[in-house]
Amino acid sequence: MSRFLTPLRAQLIDELGPGDRSVWRLLHPLKYESDCLGKTIEVPTGTDTDFASIPRGPLTDRFLGYAFKAAVLHDYAYHTHIMSKDDADEMFKEAMLVDNIPVAEAFYLAVRAFGMTSYDPNWKGW
């Protein structure tokens, strides 16, 4: 069964980081056991995150606050390329469902449709 093996523990390091987003640093590893990948993913201590690089607004802020753990996993997968974009997106959805995020499908569809430039900055489009 997919599950988080450790809690998310992070510290604010920059209130106005890139793109006017707060930057946080993991104080302990975040470990996640994924059924869809068939393995455990570990985001190491010291990893920086902005808890999802999506446009902010009242609706996204409301639900994103509950999806921080999934967002950290997804950002780490995108920045390190430890897996394909498709696998990272599937893991993101799976992790949100583990945490009972009510808009998991909407966030998943958004990263499927618009995440390629974050995964590969050299991507030139369809």
Side-chain angles (χ1 to χ4, degrees):
M1 181 171 73
S2 297
R3 62 195 173 116
F4 285 95
L5 302 173
T6 58
L8 174 61
R9 295 200 176 121
Q11 177 180 18
L12 179 66
I13 61 167
D14 187 354
E15 281 193 53
L16 291 176
D20 293 330
R21 299 183 199 288
S22 297
V23 178
W24 297 74
R25 183 164 293 147
L26 266 59
L27 299 174
H28 299 281
L30 179 64
K31 296 180 185 179
Y32 177 72
E33 187 177 295
S34 171
D35 286 347
C36 73
L37 299 176
K39 62 182 176 181
T40 298
I41 303 300
E42 180 175 326
V43 183
T45 299
T47 299
D48 291 347
T49 183
D50 66 0
F51 296 122
S53 304
I54 62 172
R56 298 292 203 250
L59 184 61
T60 56
D61 285 349
R62 178 176 177 344
F63 290 109
L64 188 58
Y66 300 106
F68 281 160
K69 291 185 287 186
V72 169
L73 289 172
H74 192 250
D75 281 355
Y76 179 71
Y78 265 39
H79 295 321
T80 61
H81 292 135
I82 60 169
M83 62 188 75
S84 70
K85 180 188 178 308
D86 289 346
D87 285 347
D89 295 346
E90 290 297 327
M91 177 187 63
F92 179 53
K93 180 180 176 182
E94 176 188 64
M96 286 187 292
L97 292 173
V98 163
D99 273 352
N100 298 309
I101 305 303
V103 293
E105 187 69 27
F107 281 156
Y108 168 75
L109 291 173
V111 297
R112 295 296 303 147
F114 305 110
M116 193 51 153
T117 56
S118 292
Y119 186 81
D120 180 4
N122 297 316
W123 185 71
K124 301 297 183 200
W126 306 109

